[in-house]
Amino acid sequence: MNDVIPAPRAVEGPMRCGVELDAETTLWAAPGTDTTERWLRATLGAALGLPLRPGPQDARNAVRLLLDDTLEPEAYKLSVVVNRGVEIRGGGAAGVFWGAQTLRQLLGPDAFRRAPVRPGRAYAIAHQIIEDAPRFPWRGLLLDVSRHFMPKDGVLRHLDLMAAHKLNVFHFHLTDDQGWRVQIKRYPKLTEVGSWRARTKFGHRASPLWEEKPHGGFYTQDDIREIVAYAAERHISVVPEIDIPGHSQAAIAAYPELGNTDVIDTTSLTVWDTWGISKNVLAPTDNTLRFYEGVFEELLELFPADAGPFTRFSPFPGFSGFVHIGGDECAKDQWKQSPTAQARIRELGLADEDELQSWFVRHFDNWLSVRGRRLIGWDEILEGGLAEGAAVSSWRGYQGGVTAARAGHDVVMCPEQQVYLDHRQAAGPDEPVPIGYVRTLEDVYRFEPVPPELTEAEARHVLGTQANVWTEVMEDPARVDYQTFPRLAAFAEVAWSALPAPAERDFADFERRMAAHYGRLDALGVAYRPPTGPLPWQRRPGVLGRPIEGAPPNV
């Protein structure tokens, strides 16, 4: 039986006969399939000890890569045929690559290692034909590296894990109150000061526990270029996020003039060491606008619009490069007290501080649009109106996505109550630092990204869906693994596969396939949550969380 995750659209077979990959297997790659050709030799070949030497297209024992313009761009057809070898046809280079990911799964857990554990072995694949294509073009994962910094090698590892699950958009949350993680050369203090905090709250913000040592780090511009190039080789687009005008205390600590200096002494601020929503937000001044224009100018060079596969899905030519500006949870207390902010409200003829935030967001909406980029932000940016090309990440529930789609804006569905992977995975007392609602593997598997109240035309604005990994209570990579897996495998199937309605989904079959997938995750070294519950070293006894009882609302 087939145990591929995400589940493919159609499988013919498998049959008992098949094909063996061994030291004599050759690799033939048509023009335009070079990313998969490199990946097969560097990753699959290295794992199994197969050289995959170049060979003729018609060799019986060959892996062949071809483009087929009758297929959708990310669709593929994988044929394993006796005496004909393996053939992967893709509608585009990305489709060929996703077909190679399926081939890897068919080869078993050994194919997920970095070096061969059974050198000289031939690997058999049953005769079968798999035809597949994704449901959504945007299949995303957000990784928060601001709250707890993840060094570059960890980011590259997560890109590999995304590729293994056919996820193709990496939302890179680079700035927040607790740390600024990207080098901006014209503003060196952003990383000299803003990337380090003196200590860190351990557990939920109500916890009395602290880790009394500095925490931080940042990515140099060359690190970012490497991450973007590495992602593009795996047909993953990287969407950077610079959070404005809230969640900006780290930037204000580095450059106090960015804050509301007529309300508080911003020179006394430090990078925030706890969690929650800081009231220290950016001042709505021309100086702040010019400063962040300078930040975004460097950012656009680091994240070019033509990097990654997602550009082809843009309905707006010239708006292919998404930039996320946050726009969420901006506390208005200081603006209400600030003579400068109140003067700006009067000058612009605005009604209140909410409209002031909308003005701030629209400034960068227009600024990015002029430069051929597309702004995307959390659903709060809907308040006040957006430019034509702007898109929305619907996080507070489904309603933001419904409002955006009905207004003609593209939307990515990532409702907190359903796909925030920092939320706990079980109700038991051993669950480490329990946050939010219980979201089991089955709960995530039954998540439906498209709100049922949308018409067919409105639903076309749902670009796809995204799982978000917020790291406030994830102090090291093992904790990130635990919260993310295995639920990300269920999410990947929701994002890729043409599943029935949530109640009709065959979770028993998914669990059966997961039994094989756990072996792949083991080979990859993923410290996932076991189906039986956390292992002793995965628990965090006595560390306060914030559990919410009951079923999450569909709001």
Side-chain angles (χ1 to χ4, degrees):
M1 298 177 70
N2 195 297
D3 56 17
V4 172
I5 291 177
R9 287 192 176 182
V11 180
E12 180 184 318
M15 302 178 186
R16 288 186 178 180
C17 55
V19 171
E20 285 193 347
L21 301 190
D22 56 28
E24 303 305 315
T25 301
T26 57
L27 176 59
W28 181 86
T33 65
D34 51 307
T35 54
T36 302
E37 179 185 15
R38 287 192 293 271
W39 182 86
L40 281 170
R41 288 203 177 97
T43 303
L44 195 61
L48 302 179
L50 304 179
L52 297 177
R53 298 182 183 90
Q57 181 178 2
D58 58 357
R60 284 189 172 188
N61 186 12
V63 176
R64 295 180 296 279
L65 310 177
L66 303 90
L67 297 179
D68 184 341
D69 60 9
T70 67
L71 300 173
E72 300 168 27
E74 288 193 288
Y76 69 88
K77 181 177 181 180
L78 170 62
S79 303
V80 181
V81 179
V82 177
N83 294 324
R84 293 182 57 188
V86 176
E87 180 178 281
I88 303 174
R89 290 179 174 267
V96 177
F97 185 73
W98 304 132
Q101 298 302 318
T102 296
L103 173 63
R104 187 190 196 186
Q105 291 198 20
L106 297 178
L107 287 163
D110 285 1
F112 290 79
R113 297 190 178 276
R114 296 191 181 185
V117 293
R118 294 168 182 84
R121 172 184 168 181
Y123 285 84
I125 315 174
H127 176 109
Q128 60 193 295
I129 298 173
I130 297 175
E131 297 187 59
D132 202 6
R135 179 186 179 190
F136 294 111
W138 185 301
R139 306 179 302 279
L141 174 70
L142 175 145
L143 183 62
D144 167 20
V145 297
S146 181
R147 273 52 175 270
H148 278 98
F149 178 65
M150 180 174 287
K152 179 191 67 179
D153 284 354
V155 174
L156 300 180
R157 172 178 175 267
H158 276 268
L159 291 170
D160 281 330
L161 291 170
M162 288 179 63
H165 292 84
K166 299 185 177 74
L167 300 174
N168 70 338
V169 180
F170 178 54
H171 181 160
F172 206 6
H173 185 78
L174 288 164
T175 73
D176 217 297
D177 298 306
Q178 295 86 359
W180 183 285
R181 305 297 180 214
V182 56
Q183 178 188 32
I184 302 297
K185 291 185 177 179
R186 75 186 69 184
Y187 304 127
K189 290 181 181 178
L190 286 173
T191 46
E192 291 172 0
V193 175
S195 69
W196 287 92
R197 57 179 181 260
R199 63 176 187 167
T200 300
K201 175 70 71 172
F202 191 50
H204 181 254
R205 60 180 175 268
S207 168
L209 305 176
W210 295 87
E211 185 180 43
E212 297 285 355
K213 67 178 183 179
H215 176 86
F218 67 93
Y219 309 104
T220 68
Q221 294 201 350
D222 280 347
D223 290 338
I224 294 292
R225 293 185 181 99
E226 180 183 355
I227 288 167
V228 170
Y230 194 86
E233 277 282 301
R234 285 145 185 81
H235 298 276
I236 296 171
S237 294
V238 183
V239 176
E241 180 180 354
I242 302 294
D243 215 334
I244 55 175
H247 288 291
S248 298
Q249 183 165 324
I252 298 169
Y255 290 92
E257 65 271 22
L258 297 174
N260 295 284
T261 57
D262 55 350
V263 176
I264 64 164
D265 177 13
T266 56
T267 63
S268 67
L269 294 179
T270 60
V271 179
W272 215 23
D273 57 12
T274 190
W275 318 125
I277 303 172
S278 171
K279 296 187 182 299
N280 296 301
V281 303
L282 297 175
T285 64
D286 290 342
N287 174 65
T288 301
L289 298 181
R290 299 294 88 76
F291 183 97
Y292 274 88
E293 286 171 3
V295 168
F296 284 120
E297 282 174 4
E298 292 195 24
L299 203 75
L300 298 192
E301 190 274 327
L302 296 173
F303 296 89
D306 57 356
F310 193 65
T311 56
R312 72 181 60 148
F313 298 109
S314 172
F316 303 97
F319 285 75
S320 58
F322 281 93
V323 176
H324 206 291
I325 56 84
D328 63 314
E329 299 179 325
C330 179
K332 309 297 194 305
D333 307 62
Q334 291 181 357
W335 287 356
K336 290 177 180 178
Q337 302 171 42
S338 165
T340 301
Q342 293 302 311
R344 175 125 281 184
I345 289 172
R346 291 191 297 272
E347 171 197 338
L348 297 171
L350 304 176
D352 54 23
E353 293 77 19
D354 290 337
E355 287 196 6
L356 183 62
Q357 179 177 349
S358 296
W359 164 81
F360 197 104
V361 169
R362 284 200 308 274
H363 173 87
F364 287 100
D365 190 352
N366 295 328
W367 188 92
L368 289 165
S369 297
V370 167
R371 288 154 182 82
R373 298 305 188 96
R374 292 187 68 184
L375 179 144
I376 184 168
W378 303 111
D379 53 59
E380 287 96 327
I381 69 171
L382 283 166
E383 300 156 6
L386 291 172
E388 181 186 17
V392 170
S393 301
S394 185
W395 78 273
R396 290 182 293 180
Y398 287 97
Q399 191 54 52
V402 171
T403 302
R406 287 177 173 168
H409 293 288
D410 289 341
V411 60
V412 176
M413 296 303 302
C414 49
E416 172 190 15
Q417 303 87 349
Q418 311 296 328
V419 288
Y420 268 33
L421 299 186
D422 53 323
H423 282 216
R424 57 192 172 136
Q425 300 183 66
D430 289 336
E431 208 62 32
V433 199
I435 298 295
Y437 295 101
V438 172
R439 293 286 84 195
T440 66
L441 184 67
E442 182 172 1
D443 290 331
V444 174
Y445 189 67
R446 298 193 188 281
F447 163 61
E448 172 50 47
V450 179
E453 59 264 45
L454 293 181
T455 66
E456 184 177 345
E458 292 165 348
R460 284 197 287 270
H461 283 289
V462 179
L463 294 175
T465 183
Q466 179 172 291
N468 294 346
V469 180
W470 300 104
T471 63
E472 286 96 331
V473 299
M474 303 183 206
E475 73 280 3
D476 57 38
R479 281 284 291 126
V480 177
D481 276 11
Y482 179 91
Q483 292 298 135
T484 305
F485 290 96
R487 292 184 296 180
L488 192 68
F491 172 81
E493 184 147 311
V494 169
W496 176 278
S497 304
L499 298 176
E504 299 168 10
R505 293 176 188 171
D506 191 348
F507 181 68
D509 179 70
F510 178 75
E511 282 190 304
R512 178 191 63 77
R513 288 179 286 122
M514 276 303 300
H517 200 64
Y518 286 121
R520 300 168 191 144
L521 296 178
D522 287 333
L524 287 166
V526 177
Y528 58 85
R529 180 190 188 274
T532 54
L535 298 167
W537 52 88
Q538 292 175 321
R539 300 167 188 161
R540 297 291 185 276
V543 181
L544 187 66
R546 184 183 61 91
I548 304 175
E549 301 304 327
N554 288 320
V555 292

